[in-house]
């Protein structure tokens, strides 16, 4: 049939291996043909069934795409990530792989010499273990006179030189609620490390203020393109704020070749012309001087045709402000945005809930534990107490929002479950993020209470857990990353990457989930950590697609390859074998029936 007779809105994909999972998530089924019309999967099954036979015999048939035996998976949905931070991180100096302070200094020094035009030196990927738990400005001051900001890999700390501390005007600033500015015990002056809530209340707002909107748009665009190249068609942003929301709205109208035009169009739309405006709360962050920072107002023209190419659901970050009134005011803002966006098409960014960071991380001994750390005898204090958390969850739940509670240590996990059990409405699909150390009795409560287990297998990579036996002891380490136990207990798993705290590519993430071996360091051959908690490949793929869709009530539109669902899928060169996953390659990524990414070979 001549190409000119094809209906380009209809495509029949043949000779593929189209993945599906049974209701248990344990058994995979493969079809070999799929018909897509106007961005919707109309039929999927065996090519010799009557539907496909009749379709191919039509006079004006669909265009045919021969997949030549390749595997087709549902488009991956990153169940936990940070879109703007990821985009910005792509331009930061990566310290991943540094062994010690000398490596860090050498890498920063070289970067500084090669980038004399930059106002600041922004770095990422530092781990406390690289510098034996120390992070002092004095260790950086002689490298360069410009401000140096170093994000820890987990994004729970920022290491600064004196120039950065000066730019933040932090010398006389008190510790914010839930955060610590490390100080000299004699002089009381900050020494260079800002931890936990300091990142949300001091560092991130400051760097957001000094970044231009054009910088943010370029960062977001780069993040979206990187995600499509990795096989993602959707994502759940887990720390949305005014800064990120304004940039995401602008991204819908952004084109890299016409940034100036885009910004002019947005600036020329006055709020009175746009229907319902979205007033912002009086305060969401602290400025560099410790005063309230007015959140920016940002509006976009409804119905003007812009849209993201990645489906984005967002949880609004609630910071641990000093009073209950201030904390609930942040929830009010999330409620307002939820009402405005909840009925939009999934191609529009939507605020679906709130995010609360209840504790820190194990590597810094700031995750809240039931028993003390083996190294320092401390339990790790929660950032949010149960008394602070209860009213916030209660108000959000009553307004129909989903609550996502970051809880890494077993004490924080128990508190999060207790609060959801007390204040949560059944069926609301509240979720707990990370769940890195859990007690068996609490793991069993997740499924019973309908709590989504939002996990990031990339954090269980043995190459980054080498300090854990010393921090926790071998017995407690045996309870880490109990994913299989969560699933077997009836909890829905949603797999994410937590990018940019970790590599975002979904396939290496699934490799760690299914083997518990390292995808980062293949040469050292670290022993798998808690291999008895590994997932089956079918379970892992489903958790990274249907599970993530379920977690934000989108399973009826996306998440699996089924008639009536959006045509969001990724074509892979891969074997259906966990041990071979690191050899898998993305061939093409499709969303809404359109190609979003094609490998160089696929373009030939």
């Amino acid at each position: 049939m001549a190409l000119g007779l094809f209906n380009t809105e209809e495509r029949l994909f043949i000779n593929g291996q189209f993945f599906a999972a049974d209701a248990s998530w344990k058994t995979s089924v493969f079809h070999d043909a799929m018909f897509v019309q106007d961005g919707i999967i109309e039929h999927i099954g065996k090519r010799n069934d009557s539907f496909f036979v009749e379709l191919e015999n039509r006079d004006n048939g669909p265009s045919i795409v021969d997949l030549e035996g390749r595997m087709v998976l549902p488009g991956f949905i990153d169940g936990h990530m940070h879109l703007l931070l990821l985009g910005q991180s792509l331009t930061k100096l990566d310290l991943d792989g540094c062994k010690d302070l000398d490596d860090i200094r050498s890498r920063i020094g070289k970067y500084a010499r090669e980038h004399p035009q930059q106002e600041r030196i922004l770095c990422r990927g530092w781990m406390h273990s690289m510098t034996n738990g120390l992070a002092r400005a004095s260790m950086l001051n002689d490298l360069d006179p410009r401000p140096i900001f170093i994000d820890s890999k987990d994004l729970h700390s920022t290491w600064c030189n004196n120039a950065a501390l000066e730019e933040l005007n932090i010398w006389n600033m008190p510790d914010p609620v839930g955060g610590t500015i490390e100080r000299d015990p004699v002089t009381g002056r900050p020494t260079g490390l800002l931890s936990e809530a300091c990142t949300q209340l001091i560092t991130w707002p400051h760097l957001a203020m000094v970044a231009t909107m054009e910088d943010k748009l370029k960062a977001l665009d780069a993040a979206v393109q990187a995600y499509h190249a990795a096989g993602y068609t959707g994502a759940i942003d887990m720390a949305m704020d005014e800064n990120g929301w304004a940039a995401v709205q602008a991204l819908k109208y952004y084109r890299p070749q016409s940034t100036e035009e885009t910004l002019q169009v947005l600036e020329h739309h006055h709020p009175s012309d746009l229907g319902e405006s979205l007033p912002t709360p009086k305060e969401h962050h602290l400025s560099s001087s410790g005063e309230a920072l007015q959140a920016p107002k940002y509006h976009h023209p409804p119905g003007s045709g812009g849209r993201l190419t990645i489906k984005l659901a967002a949880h609004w970050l609630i910071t641990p402000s000093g009073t209950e009134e201030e904390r609930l005011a942040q929830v009010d803002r999330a409620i307002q945005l939820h009402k405005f966006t909840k009925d939009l098409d999934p191609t529009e960014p939507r605020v679906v809930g709130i995010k609360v960071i209840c504790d820190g991380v194990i590597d810094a001994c700031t995750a809240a534990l039931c028993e003390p750390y083996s190294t320092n005898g401390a339990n790790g204090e929660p950032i949010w107490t149960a008394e602070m958390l209860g009213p916030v969850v209660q108000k959000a739940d009553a307004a129909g929002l989903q609550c996502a509670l970051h809880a890494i240590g077993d004490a924080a996990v128990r508190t999060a479950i207790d609060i959801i059990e007390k204040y949560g409405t059944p069926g609301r699909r509240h979720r707990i993020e990370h769940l890195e150390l859990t007690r068996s009795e609490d793991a069993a409560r997740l499924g019973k209470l309908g709590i989504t287990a939002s996990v990031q297998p990339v954090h269980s990579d043995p190459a980054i857990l080498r300090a854990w036996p010393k921090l926790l002891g071998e017995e407690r380490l045996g309870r880490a990353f109990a994913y299989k136990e969560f699933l077997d207990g009836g909890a829905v798993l949603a797999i994410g990457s937590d990018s940019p705290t970790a590599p975002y590519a979904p396939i290496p993430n699934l490799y760690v989930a299914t083997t518990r071996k390292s995808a980062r360091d293949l040469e050292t051959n670290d022993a798998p950590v808690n291999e008895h908690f590994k997932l089956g490949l079918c379970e892992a793929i489903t958790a990274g697609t249907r599970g993530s869709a379920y977690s934000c009530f989108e399973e009826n539109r996306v998440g699996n390859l089924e008639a009536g669902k959006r045509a969001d899928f990724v074509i892979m060169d891969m074997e259906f074998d966990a041990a071979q996953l690191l050899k898998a390659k993305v061939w093409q990524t499709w969303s809404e029936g359109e190609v979003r990414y094609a490998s160089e070979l696929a373009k030939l």
Side-chain angles (χ1 to χ4, degrees), residues 367-476:
L369 304 185
C370 293
E371 302 294 335
Y373 286 91
S374 303
T375 50
N376 63 8
N379 289 63
E381 293 298 320
I383 298 173
W384 286 71
T385 63
E387 292 71 27
M388 294 167 62
L389 190 59
V392 165
V393 170
Q394 185 177 28
K395 182 166 192 172
D397 177 272
L401 272 68
Q402 296 178 263
C403 298
L405 307 182
H406 162 124
I408 285 179
D410 52 4
V413 170
R414 177 165 295 177
T415 297
I417 295 174
D418 288 345
I419 292 296
I420 292 174
E421 182 176 36
K422 183 174 182 180
Y423 296 110
T425 298
R428 191 75 78 211
R429 299 185 190 176
H430 297 308
R431 44 194 290 159
I432 297 180
E433 310 302 308
H434 308 307
L435 294 157
E436 294 188 3
L437 188 67
T438 56
R439 296 199 166 196
S440 57
E441 59 268 29
D442 291 323
R445 298 170 67 195
L446 297 172
K448 293 176 182 177
L449 295 172
I451 297 172
T452 299
S454 174
V455 299
Q456 302 76 43
V458 66
H459 288 324
S460 66
D461 191 304
I464 60 172
L465 301 180
R466 292 166 186 161
W468 281 40
K470 183 179 179 181
L471 292 169
L472 298 176
E474 291 292 343
E475 182 176 351
R476 261 192 305 190

Side-chain angles (χ1 to χ4, degrees), residues 114-191:
E114 293 174 351
H115 297 82
Q117 77 286 358
Q118 294 189 357
E119 294 184 38
R120 298 166 191 81
I121 298 173
L122 306 179
C123 312
R124 63 184 174 96
W126 159 68
M127 294 183 68
H128 292 76
S129 58
M130 294 176 183
T131 53
N132 295 317
L134 295 176
R136 303 282 188 265
S138 58
M139 299 155 71
L140 305 172
N141 286 335
D142 64 329
L143 291 175
D144 197 274
R146 289 170 289 180
I148 300 175
F149 294 87
I150 303 176
D151 293 334
S152 63
K153 185 181 288 291
D154 52 44
L155 295 183
H156 281 248
S157 303
T158 307
W159 177 13
C160 304
N161 67 351
N162 274 351
L165 296 175
E166 187 70 39
E167 186 172 275
L168 291 170
N169 193 21
I170 208 169
W171 301 111
N172 297 312
M173 188 185 296
D175 288 2
V177 176
T180 301
I181 302 171
E182 288 206 2
R183 306 174 191 274
D184 184 287
V186 177
T187 66
R189 286 176 62 81
T191 57

Side-chain angles (χ1 to χ4, degrees), residues 12 47 83 91-92 134 206 213 250 261 277 315-316 327 342 382 451-452 469 488 524 530 598:
L12 174 59
R47 190 181 176 188
L83 190 64
T91 62
K92 292 182 180 181
L134 295 176
H206 171 74
M213 179 58 79
E261 284 180 20
S277 62
H315 283 254
W316 198 259
R327 295 189 289 271
K342 65 184 177 69
I451 297 172
T452 299
D488 289 347
T524 305
N530 295 340

